[in-house]
Amino acid sequence: SFEDPADRAVESHVRESADRIAALLDQLVTEGFAPEHIVLTGFSQGGVIASFTALRYQAKLAGLLCMSTYLAAPEQLVEEMSEAARALPICYMHGIYDDVVSLSMGWDAKNRLEAAGLSPEWHEYPMRHEICRPQLDEIRRWLLARLGAWSRPADTITACISRPFAFIPLAMCPAHHPTSRAAPGLSRCGLWLR
């Protein structure tokens, strides 16, 4: 379990992954996707990469949704945060019984985001390092609030992953922590696009 801040992901690896994600975002914008129609999401190590990238990305995104995660290089957040991130809608979710990334690490992320002047939504669920049904309902609500302005109301979260929305899983987010239990070379990180 990640309880000690010293157990955070290797910063140089996080920066390398974040650069790759930022390059993909730039490519998507070049191809015609408006950055304000993109939500960067991540679970666990994917949330580490998603938050690191979104908080430093120079264009305003539609949002940042992170589940069961923590902040990498939190001491540098205020100094490195982009001007665009100051208005970024943020939602963090965490299991109160998480045995991989402790709840205290999630609280630390929330507190540091607030100390940086941001207003993250925070949700806790009676679960471990996983996703539960009530959380899916909240994810649906949150995504539709960010992206639904360009679409008809949807009955299920699956409407968010069909046209006019798309979800792009990013398999280029390596699980960089030396004790990571994620599949080699993969983490859970993705983009919601309209």
Side-chain angles (χ1 to χ4, degrees):
S1 137
F2 298 138
E3 303 229 4
D4 182 342
D7 288 339
R8 294 179 196 269
V10 177
E11 184 180 336
S12 62
H13 297 174
V14 171
R15 288 185 184 280
E16 179 184 334
S17 292
D19 288 346
R20 291 179 182 178
I21 303 306
L24 177 60
L25 290 170
D26 291 343
Q27 178 184 341
L28 291 168
V29 170
T30 300
E31 292 173 6
F33 286 97
E36 63 272 12
H37 294 183
I38 299 172
V39 173
L40 197 53
T41 67
F43 177 86
S44 194
Q45 290 285 25
V48 172
I49 305 304
S51 61
F52 194 91
T53 305
L55 294 168
R56 290 158 177 81
Y57 194 65
Q58 296 302 310
K60 184 178 182 291
L61 301 172
L64 169 64
L65 174 64
C66 293
M67 298 154 281
S68 300
T69 195
Y70 58 94
L71 290 176
E75 307 81 22
Q76 297 159 6
L77 175 62
V78 173
E79 177 185 321
E80 295 181 353
M81 187 169 59
S82 71
E83 202 54 44
R86 298 191 186 284
L88 181 67
I90 300 171
C91 183
Y92 266 64
M93 303 173 161
H94 215 103
I96 60 174
Y97 306 116
D98 195 323
D99 57 342
V100 177
V101 178
S102 72
L103 181 59
S104 65
M105 295 289 283
W107 285 337
D108 180 66
K110 174 189 177 289
N111 293 337
R112 288 178 186 264
L113 291 169
E114 289 173 343
L118 304 174
S119 301
E121 257 187 60
W122 174 260
H123 302 274
E124 294 176 9
Y125 301 92
M127 64 180 187
R128 296 175 77 168
H129 197 66
E130 59 193 321
I131 295 176
C132 63
R133 181 66 208 187
Q135 184 179 15
L136 288 174
D137 294 339
E138 189 57 38
I139 291 169
R140 174 190 174 273
R141 181 205 61 80
W142 195 85
L143 284 172
L144 288 175
R146 296 316 96 8
L147 300 174
W150 304 287
S151 180
R152 297 179 302 242
D155 293 328
T156 65
I157 193 168
T158 55
C160 290
I161 58 174
S162 62
R163 295 184 191 245
F165 299 105
F167 178 70
I168 301 176
L170 301 175
M172 63 175 69
C173 301
H176 288 302
H177 195 278
T179 61
S180 174
R181 296 183 187 127
L186 297 177
S187 193
R188 298 139 192 105
C189 185
L191 299 167
W192 286 94
L193 306 169
R194 179 202 178 266

PDB file of all heavy atoms in Angstrom, residues 144-170:
ATOM      1  N   LEU A 144     -21.296  14.006 -17.847  1.00  0.00           N
ATOM      2  CA  LEU A 144     -22.375  14.676 -18.576  1.00  0.00           C
ATOM      3  C   LEU A 144     -22.432  16.162 -18.246  1.00  0.00           C
ATOM      4  O   LEU A 144     -22.745  16.977 -19.112  1.00  0.00           O
ATOM      5  CB  LEU A 144     -23.717  14.003 -18.301  1.00  0.00           C
ATOM      6  CG  LEU A 144     -23.887  12.631 -18.947  1.00  0.00           C
ATOM      7  CD1 LEU A 144     -25.201  11.995 -18.514  1.00  0.00           C
ATOM      8  CD2 LEU A 144     -23.804  12.720 -20.465  1.00  0.00           C
ATOM      9  N   ALA A 145     -22.103  16.523 -17.024  1.00  0.00           N
ATOM     10  CA  ALA A 145     -22.062  17.940 -16.659  1.00  0.00           C
ATOM     11  C   ALA A 145     -20.960  18.666 -17.413  1.00  0.00           C
ATOM     12  O   ALA A 145     -21.073  19.852 -17.721  1.00  0.00           O
ATOM     13  CB  ALA A 145     -21.873  18.094 -15.150  1.00  0.00           C
ATOM     14  N   ARG A 146     -19.861  17.965 -17.710  1.00  0.00           N
ATOM     15  CA  ARG A 146     -18.757  18.584 -18.442  1.00  0.00           C
ATOM     16  C   ARG A 146     -18.943  18.490 -19.951  1.00  0.00           C
ATOM     17  O   ARG A 146     -18.654  19.410 -20.682  1.00  0.00           O
ATOM     18  CB  ARG A 146     -17.437  17.895 -18.132  1.00  0.00           C
ATOM     19  CG  ARG A 146     -16.858  17.902 -16.810  1.00  0.00           C
ATOM     20  CD  ARG A 146     -16.693  18.877 -15.848  1.00  0.00           C
ATOM     21  NE  ARG A 146     -17.171  19.464 -14.727  1.00  0.00           N
ATOM     22  CZ  ARG A 146     -18.153  19.189 -13.884  1.00  0.00           C
ATOM     23  NH1 ARG A 146     -18.951  18.202 -14.066  1.00  0.00           N
ATOM     24  NH2 ARG A 146     -18.387  19.934 -12.844  1.00  0.00           N
ATOM     25  N   LEU A 147     -19.359  17.335 -20.437  1.00  0.00           N
ATOM     26  CA  LEU A 147     -19.431  17.088 -21.878  1.00  0.00           C
ATOM     27  C   LEU A 147     -20.858  17.050 -22.419  1.00  0.00           C
ATOM     28  O   LEU A 147     -21.067  17.164 -23.610  1.00  0.00           O
ATOM     29  CB  LEU A 147     -18.753  15.753 -22.211  1.00  0.00           C
ATOM     30  CG  LEU A 147     -17.284  15.651 -21.834  1.00  0.00           C
ATOM     31  CD1 LEU A 147     -16.771  14.237 -22.073  1.00  0.00           C
ATOM     32  CD2 LEU A 147     -16.448  16.658 -22.601  1.00  0.00           C
ATOM     33  N   GLY A 148     -21.822  16.884 -21.547  1.00  0.00           N
ATOM     34  CA  GLY A 148     -23.208  16.720 -21.966  1.00  0.00           C
ATOM     35  C   GLY A 148     -23.839  17.961 -22.551  1.00  0.00           C
ATOM     36  O   GLY A 148     -24.890  17.895 -23.161  1.00  0.00           O
ATOM     37  N   ALA A 149     -23.212  19.106 -22.384  1.00  0.00           N
ATOM     38  CA  ALA A 149     -23.755  20.337 -22.939  1.00  0.00           C
ATOM     39  C   ALA A 149     -23.826  20.278 -24.454  1.00  0.00           C
ATOM     40  O   ALA A 149     -24.579  21.018 -25.069  1.00  0.00           O
ATOM     41  CB  ALA A 149     -22.891  21.528 -22.513  1.00  0.00           C
ATOM     42  N   TRP A 150     -23.083  19.350 -25.062  1.00  0.00           N
ATOM     43  CA  TRP A 150     -23.065  19.239 -26.519  1.00  0.00           C
ATOM     44  C   TRP A 150     -23.858  18.035 -27.007  1.00  0.00           C
ATOM     45  O   TRP A 150     -23.743  17.636 -28.145  1.00  0.00           O
ATOM     46  CB  TRP A 150     -21.620  19.132 -27.014  1.00  0.00           C
ATOM     47  CG  TRP A 150     -20.815  20.282 -26.538  1.00  0.00           C
ATOM     48  CD1 TRP A 150     -20.883  21.563 -26.980  1.00  0.00           C
ATOM     49  CD2 TRP A 150     -19.853  20.277 -25.496  1.00  0.00           C
ATOM     50  NE1 TRP A 150     -20.029  22.346 -26.272  1.00  0.00           N
ATOM     51  CE2 TRP A 150     -19.366  21.588 -25.351  1.00  0.00           C
ATOM     52  CE3 TRP A 150     -19.356  19.286 -24.649  1.00  0.00           C
ATOM     53  CZ2 TRP A 150     -18.411  21.941 -24.425  1.00  0.00           C
ATOM     54  CZ3 TRP A 150     -18.395  19.639 -23.718  1.00  0.00           C
ATOM     55  CH2 TRP A 150     -17.935  20.951 -23.617  1.00  0.00           C
ATOM     56  N   SER A 151     -24.644  17.431 -26.114  1.00  0.00           N
ATOM     57  CA  SER A 151     -25.335  16.202 -26.465  1.00  0.00           C
ATOM     58  C   SER A 151     -26.705  16.151 -25.816  1.00  0.00           C
ATOM     59  O   SER A 151     -27.002  16.912 -24.907  1.00  0.00           O
ATOM     60  CB  SER A 151     -24.502  15.004 -25.992  1.00  0.00           C
ATOM     61  OG  SER A 151     -25.139  13.801 -26.309  1.00  0.00           O
ATOM     62  N   ARG A 152     -27.535  15.238 -26.288  1.00  0.00           N
ATOM     63  CA  ARG A 152     -28.822  14.991 -25.638  1.00  0.00           C
ATOM     64  C   ARG A 152     -28.583  14.281 -24.321  1.00  0.00           C
ATOM     65  O   ARG A 152     -27.578  13.603 -24.149  1.00  0.00           O
ATOM     66  CB  ARG A 152     -29.683  14.103 -26.543  1.00  0.00           C
ATOM     67  CG  ARG A 152     -30.034  14.741 -27.862  1.00  0.00           C
ATOM     68  CD  ARG A 152     -30.846  13.764 -28.659  1.00  0.00           C
ATOM     69  NE  ARG A 152     -30.070  12.537 -28.845  1.00  0.00           N
ATOM     70  CZ  ARG A 152     -29.692  12.075 -30.006  1.00  0.00           C
ATOM     71  NH1 ARG A 152     -30.035  12.679 -31.086  1.00  0.00           N
ATOM     72  NH2 ARG A 152     -28.993  10.970 -30.095  1.00  0.00           N
ATOM     73  N   PRO A 153     -29.544  14.373 -23.381  1.00  0.00           N
ATOM     74  CA  PRO A 153     -29.383  13.630 -22.125  1.00  0.00           C
ATOM     75  C   PRO A 153     -29.217  12.140 -22.406  1.00  0.00           C
ATOM     76  O   PRO A 153     -29.811  11.599 -23.328  1.00  0.00           O
ATOM     77  CB  PRO A 153     -30.687  13.903 -21.375  1.00  0.00           C
ATOM     78  CG  PRO A 153     -31.232  15.144 -21.997  1.00  0.00           C
ATOM     79  CD  PRO A 153     -30.752  15.156 -23.428  1.00  0.00           C
ATOM     80  N   ALA A 154     -28.422  11.495 -21.595  1.00  0.00           N
ATOM     81  CA  ALA A 154     -28.142  10.080 -21.798  1.00  0.00           C
ATOM     82  C   ALA A 154     -28.737   9.262 -20.666  1.00  0.00           C
ATOM     83  O   ALA A 154     -28.838   9.731 -19.539  1.00  0.00           O
ATOM     84  CB  ALA A 154     -26.639   9.863 -21.851  1.00  0.00           C
ATOM     85  N   ASP A 155     -29.115   8.041 -20.964  1.00  0.00           N
ATOM     86  CA  ASP A 155     -29.694   7.165 -19.947  1.00  0.00           C
ATOM     87  C   ASP A 155     -28.638   6.413 -19.160  1.00  0.00           C
ATOM     88  O   ASP A 155     -28.871   6.031 -18.022  1.00  0.00           O
ATOM     89  CB  ASP A 155     -30.638   6.156 -20.594  1.00  0.00           C
ATOM     90  CG  ASP A 155     -31.863   6.838 -21.165  1.00  0.00           C
ATOM     91  OD1 ASP A 155     -32.289   7.850 -20.601  1.00  0.00           O
ATOM     92  OD2 ASP A 155     -32.366   6.343 -22.169  1.00  0.00           O
ATOM     93  N   THR A 156     -27.499   6.149 -19.756  1.00  0.00           N
ATOM     94  CA  THR A 156     -26.469   5.375 -19.071  1.00  0.00           C
ATOM     95  C   THR A 156     -25.099   5.954 -19.396  1.00  0.00           C
ATOM     96  O   THR A 156     -24.944   6.733 -20.338  1.00  0.00           O
ATOM     97  CB  THR A 156     -26.468   3.898 -19.530  1.00  0.00           C
ATOM     98  OG1 THR A 156     -26.094   3.865 -20.900  1.00  0.00           O
ATOM     99  CG2 THR A 156     -27.827   3.251 -19.334  1.00  0.00           C
ATOM    100  N   ILE A 157     -24.132   5.554 -18.635  1.00  0.00           N
ATOM    101  CA  ILE A 157     -22.768   6.015 -18.880  1.00  0.00           C
ATOM    102  C   ILE A 157     -22.274   5.570 -20.254  1.00  0.00           C
ATOM    103  O   ILE A 157     -21.440   6.220 -20.859  1.00  0.00           O
ATOM    104  CB  ILE A 157     -21.807   5.540 -17.775  1.00  0.00           C
ATOM    105  CG1 ILE A 157     -20.476   6.289 -17.882  1.00  0.00           C
ATOM    106  CG2 ILE A 157     -21.590   4.054 -17.803  1.00  0.00           C
ATOM    107  CD1 ILE A 157     -19.580   6.114 -16.700  1.00  0.00           C
ATOM    108  N   THR A 158     -22.835   4.498 -20.783  1.00  0.00           N
ATOM    109  CA  THR A 158     -22.380   4.032 -22.088  1.00  0.00           C
ATOM    110  C   THR A 158     -22.651   5.067 -23.174  1.00  0.00           C
ATOM    111  O   THR A 158     -21.983   5.082 -24.196  1.00  0.00           O
ATOM    112  CB  THR A 158     -23.057   2.697 -22.477  1.00  0.00           C
ATOM    113  OG1 THR A 158     -24.471   2.859 -22.418  1.00  0.00           O
ATOM    114  CG2 THR A 158     -22.614   1.590 -21.552  1.00  0.00           C
ATOM    115  N   ALA A 159     -23.615   5.948 -22.947  1.00  0.00           N
ATOM    116  CA  ALA A 159     -23.862   7.001 -23.933  1.00  0.00           C
ATOM    117  C   ALA A 159     -22.659   7.914 -24.057  1.00  0.00           C
ATOM    118  O   ALA A 159     -22.446   8.529 -25.094  1.00  0.00           O
ATOM    119  CB  ALA A 159     -25.096   7.802 -23.546  1.00  0.00           C
ATOM    120  N   CYS A 160     -21.869   8.006 -22.996  1.00  0.00           N
ATOM    121  CA  CYS A 160     -20.684   8.869 -23.042  1.00  0.00           C
ATOM    122  C   CYS A 160     -19.584   8.281 -23.915  1.00  0.00           C
ATOM    123  O   CYS A 160     -18.675   8.987 -24.302  1.00  0.00           O
ATOM    124  CB  CYS A 160     -20.142   9.080 -21.635  1.00  0.00           C
ATOM    125  SG  CYS A 160     -21.192  10.103 -20.625  1.00  0.00           S
ATOM    126  N   ILE A 161     -19.660   6.971 -24.191  1.00  0.00           N
ATOM    127  CA  ILE A 161     -18.588   6.392 -24.987  1.00  0.00           C
ATOM    128  C   ILE A 161     -19.047   6.045 -26.394  1.00  0.00           C
ATOM    129  O   ILE A 161     -18.374   5.373 -27.118  1.00  0.00           O
ATOM    130  CB  ILE A 161     -17.980   5.157 -24.283  1.00  0.00           C
ATOM    131  CG1 ILE A 161     -19.018   4.091 -24.006  1.00  0.00           C
ATOM    132  CG2 ILE A 161     -17.274   5.562 -23.009  1.00  0.00           C
ATOM    133  CD1 ILE A 161     -18.447   2.809 -23.456  1.00  0.00           C
ATOM    134  N   SER A 162     -20.221   6.534 -26.761  1.00  0.00           N
ATOM    135  CA  SER A 162     -20.659   6.410 -28.143  1.00  0.00           C
ATOM    136  C   SER A 162     -20.703   7.819 -28.720  1.00  0.00           C
ATOM    137  O   SER A 162     -20.584   8.797 -28.006  1.00  0.00           O
ATOM    138  CB  SER A 162     -22.029   5.738 -28.217  1.00  0.00           C
ATOM    139  OG  SER A 162     -22.986   6.534 -27.547  1.00  0.00           O
ATOM    140  N   ARG A 163     -20.868   7.923 -29.999  1.00  0.00           N
ATOM    141  CA  ARG A 163     -20.888   9.248 -30.601  1.00  0.00           C
ATOM    142  C   ARG A 163     -21.976  10.085 -29.990  1.00  0.00           C
ATOM    143  O   ARG A 163     -23.049   9.578 -29.735  1.00  0.00           O
ATOM    144  CB  ARG A 163     -21.061   9.111 -32.103  1.00  0.00           C
ATOM    145  CG  ARG A 163     -19.866   8.430 -32.699  1.00  0.00           C
ATOM    146  CD  ARG A 163     -19.964   8.354 -34.193  1.00  0.00           C
ATOM    147  NE  ARG A 163     -18.924   7.468 -34.634  1.00  0.00           N
ATOM    148  CZ  ARG A 163     -17.915   7.858 -35.372  1.00  0.00           C
ATOM    149  NH1 ARG A 163     -17.830   9.061 -35.788  1.00  0.00           N
ATOM    150  NH2 ARG A 163     -16.996   7.008 -35.729  1.00  0.00           N
ATOM    151  N   PRO A 164     -21.761  11.385 -29.762  1.00  0.00           N
ATOM    152  CA  PRO A 164     -20.616  12.167 -30.184  1.00  0.00           C
ATOM    153  C   PRO A 164     -19.431  12.130 -29.229  1.00  0.00           C
ATOM    154  O   PRO A 164     -18.531  12.937 -29.357  1.00  0.00           O
ATOM    155  CB  PRO A 164     -21.171  13.582 -30.263  1.00  0.00           C
ATOM    156  CG  PRO A 164     -22.190  13.630 -29.192  1.00  0.00           C
ATOM    157  CD  PRO A 164     -22.795  12.241 -29.177  1.00  0.00           C
ATOM    158  N   PHE A 165     -19.416  11.244 -28.268  1.00  0.00           N
ATOM    159  CA  PHE A 165     -18.287  11.147 -27.357  1.00  0.00           C
ATOM    160  C   PHE A 165     -17.442   9.931 -27.706  1.00  0.00           C
ATOM    161  O   PHE A 165     -17.935   8.965 -28.249  1.00  0.00           O
ATOM    162  CB  PHE A 165     -18.772  10.991 -25.910  1.00  0.00           C
ATOM    163  CG  PHE A 165     -19.592  12.133 -25.437  1.00  0.00           C
ATOM    164  CD1 PHE A 165     -20.958  12.010 -25.326  1.00  0.00           C
ATOM    165  CD2 PHE A 165     -19.000  13.332 -25.103  1.00  0.00           C
ATOM    166  CE1 PHE A 165     -21.725  13.075 -24.881  1.00  0.00           C
ATOM    167  CE2 PHE A 165     -19.758  14.395 -24.656  1.00  0.00           C
ATOM    168  CZ  PHE A 165     -21.125  14.265 -24.539  1.00  0.00           C
ATOM    169  N   ALA A 166     -16.189   9.975 -27.349  1.00  0.00           N
ATOM    170  CA  ALA A 166     -15.308   8.823 -27.531  1.00  0.00           C
ATOM    171  C   ALA A 166     -14.405   8.716 -26.312  1.00  0.00           C
ATOM    172  O   ALA A 166     -14.056   9.717 -25.709  1.00  0.00           O
ATOM    173  CB  ALA A 166     -14.466   8.996 -28.785  1.00  0.00           C
ATOM    174  N   PHE A 167     -14.055   7.502 -25.951  1.00  0.00           N
ATOM    175  CA  PHE A 167     -13.098   7.277 -24.877  1.00  0.00           C
ATOM    176  C   PHE A 167     -11.873   6.640 -25.496  1.00  0.00           C
ATOM    177  O   PHE A 167     -11.976   5.649 -26.205  1.00  0.00           O
ATOM    178  CB  PHE A 167     -13.673   6.355 -23.802  1.00  0.00           C
ATOM    179  CG  PHE A 167     -12.684   6.069 -22.705  1.00  0.00           C
ATOM    180  CD1 PHE A 167     -12.325   7.065 -21.808  1.00  0.00           C
ATOM    181  CD2 PHE A 167     -12.104   4.836 -22.574  1.00  0.00           C
ATOM    182  CE1 PHE A 167     -11.408   6.818 -20.796  1.00  0.00           C
ATOM    183  CE2 PHE A 167     -11.187   4.567 -21.562  1.00  0.00           C
ATOM    184  CZ  PHE A 167     -10.846   5.571 -20.676  1.00  0.00           C
ATOM    185  N   ILE A 168     -10.727   7.219 -25.240  1.00  0.00           N
ATOM    186  CA  ILE A 168      -9.486   6.683 -25.773  1.00  0.00           C
ATOM    187  C   ILE A 168      -8.642   6.211 -24.602  1.00  0.00           C
ATOM    188  O   ILE A 168      -8.122   7.033 -23.842  1.00  0.00           O
ATOM    189  CB  ILE A 168      -8.706   7.741 -26.578  1.00  0.00           C
ATOM    190  CG1 ILE A 168      -9.557   8.245 -27.740  1.00  0.00           C
ATOM    191  CG2 ILE A 168      -7.385   7.166 -27.068  1.00  0.00           C
ATOM    192  CD1 ILE A 168      -8.904   9.359 -28.527  1.00  0.00           C
ATOM    193  N   PRO A 169      -8.519   4.887 -24.403  1.00  0.00           N
ATOM    194  CA  PRO A 169      -7.626   4.418 -23.334  1.00  0.00           C
ATOM    195  C   PRO A 169      -6.184   4.651 -23.749  1.00  0.00           C
ATOM    196  O   PRO A 169      -5.829   4.442 -24.902  1.00  0.00           O
ATOM    197  CB  PRO A 169      -7.951   2.933 -23.226  1.00  0.00           C
ATOM    198  CG  PRO A 169      -8.516   2.574 -24.554  1.00  0.00           C
ATOM    199  CD  PRO A 169      -9.160   3.820 -25.117  1.00  0.00           C
ATOM    200  N   LEU A 170      -5.396   5.102 -22.827  1.00  0.00           N
ATOM    201  CA  LEU A 170      -4.003   5.393 -23.130  1.00  0.00           C
ATOM    202  C   LEU A 170      -3.133   4.310 -22.534  1.00  0.00           C
ATOM    203  O   LEU A 170      -2.862   4.306 -21.349  1.00  0.00           O
ATOM    204  CB  LEU A 170      -3.619   6.763 -22.575  1.00  0.00           C
ATOM    205  CG  LEU A 170      -4.459   7.922 -23.113  1.00  0.00           C
ATOM    206  CD1 LEU A 170      -4.074   9.201 -22.412  1.00  0.00           C
ATOM    207  CD2 LEU A 170      -4.293   8.055 -24.612  1.00  0.00           C
TER     208      LEU A 170
END
